[in-house]
Amino acid sequence: MSCASPVPCPTHLAPGGDAASGPGFDQELAPQLAHLFAAISQPLFATDREGWLTAYNPAAAELWGWSPPLRATRWCGSDAIFAADGQLLAPEQYPVARALAEGQPIRGVDIVARRRDGARLPLSAHACPFRDAAGALLGAVVLLLDTSGQRQAEARARAAAIAKTRFLSAMSHELRTPIHGILGLSELLAATAAEGKRLGAEELSWIEDIRASGQHLLGLVDDAINFAQASVAAVRPQGPRRSTLLG
């Protein structure tokens, strides 16, 4: 992904307007806010209380694939937002719109953002409204986290679970055949011994069949153990990674 400009995208912070001129907002904080936005490596943007874009960092511009004009772009810079199931969301269903309408944080909403080039990116959206000292709503700030790696891991885990179920079903059938053979031949040998007969060529062949069935059964058990070990390795969770929130 790249920004529309060939040079590194600056942090966009709109001067004036609702969010900046509302009661309790300190204009002297604007430079510090710009530095804060730029320091965060995850896509971050802010809107006024009407949802008009007032600030965003370079990561957000990179995510969107362009640098949208401030106070002329509403809700976000994505071309469209979809729910996790692929359903197109109306603007009032966007996490930022919900946070502004409900006046409370909206955390961990799985969405899919579509860039202007058509690419779709799975994200976890965290939107939080902010207020002035008197409690009046000024706007909202939104943090977007890339969940593509998590979704790929979940897909691999689902595929592994399906493969395991199919394997165990087939293994159950394969195990029954040699077990029945071993039990049947063992009963015949026991009956022959009970009659006091010496083992002849036929009885000796039964012993060979028992041995072969036992080896086949042992091979199936080894296959099951190897498969179980491979399944555990495939879905073993990764250790915690250092947060990249601040670069």
Side-chain angles (χ1 to χ4, degrees):
M1 296 181 294
S2 62
C3 299
S5 171
V7 298
C9 294
T11 298
H12 293 70
L13 190 67
D18 290 339
S21 61
F25 185 89
D26 189 347
Q27 289 286 352
E28 294 182 358
L29 290 178
Q32 286 81 356
L33 288 176
H35 288 302
L36 176 61
F37 267 56
I40 296 178
S41 62
Q42 302 292 346
L44 181 71
F45 67 92
T47 72
D48 63 17
R49 58 176 171 259
E50 299 297 331
W52 295 101
L53 206 60
T54 56
Y56 57 87
N57 66 354
E62 183 178 1
L63 170 71
W64 296 327
W66 70 306
S67 298
L70 298 176
R71 304 202 180 281
T73 306
R74 201 175 187 193
W75 305 124
C76 68
S78 297
D79 184 55
I81 299 294
F82 301 84
D85 60 4
Q87 180 180 2
L88 179 65
L89 296 181
E92 60 269 18
Q93 296 175 303
Y94 291 2
V96 62
R98 291 175 51 197
L100 290 170
E102 300 172 19
Q104 61 184 7
I106 303 295
R107 298 188 177 96
V109 179
D110 289 330
I111 60 172
V112 177
R114 187 176 69 194
R115 289 162 44 97
R116 283 198 159 187
D117 60 8
R120 298 193 180 193
L121 305 172
L123 303 166
S124 176
H126 303 258
C128 183
F130 57 90
R131 304 174 183 275
D132 63 12
L137 181 65
L138 294 179
V141 62
V142 182
L143 177 68
L144 301 173
L145 302 177
D146 186 349
T147 59
S148 55
Q150 175 185 343
R151 295 195 180 189
Q152 290 172 1
E154 291 173 350
R156 288 194 297 268
R158 287 193 297 269
I162 293 173
K164 183 177 181 180
T165 299
R166 292 176 177 173
F167 175 82
L168 292 177
S169 177
M171 182 63 67
S172 175
H173 174 75
E174 292 294 331
L175 288 174
R176 291 176 185 274
T177 300
I179 288 175
H180 286 313
I182 290 173
L183 293 175
L185 293 173
S186 297
E187 291 175 0
L188 289 174
L189 284 174
T192 300
E195 294 174 2
K197 297 180 180 179
R198 296 182 60 183
L199 298 181
E202 183 177 10
E203 288 77 15
L204 292 175
S205 69
W206 294 346
I207 295 176
E208 178 60 25
D209 289 341
I210 291 176
R211 185 191 66 80
S213 295
Q215 289 182 339
H216 180 58
L217 186 60
L218 181 61
L220 292 175
V221 171
D222 288 340
D223 289 343
I225 293 175
N226 292 335
F227 180 83
Q229 291 175 340
S231 298
V232 170
V235 300
R236 180 178 292 118
Q238 299 295 322
R241 298 191 304 171
R242 183 179 66 86
S243 173
T244 58
L245 185 62
L246 296 179

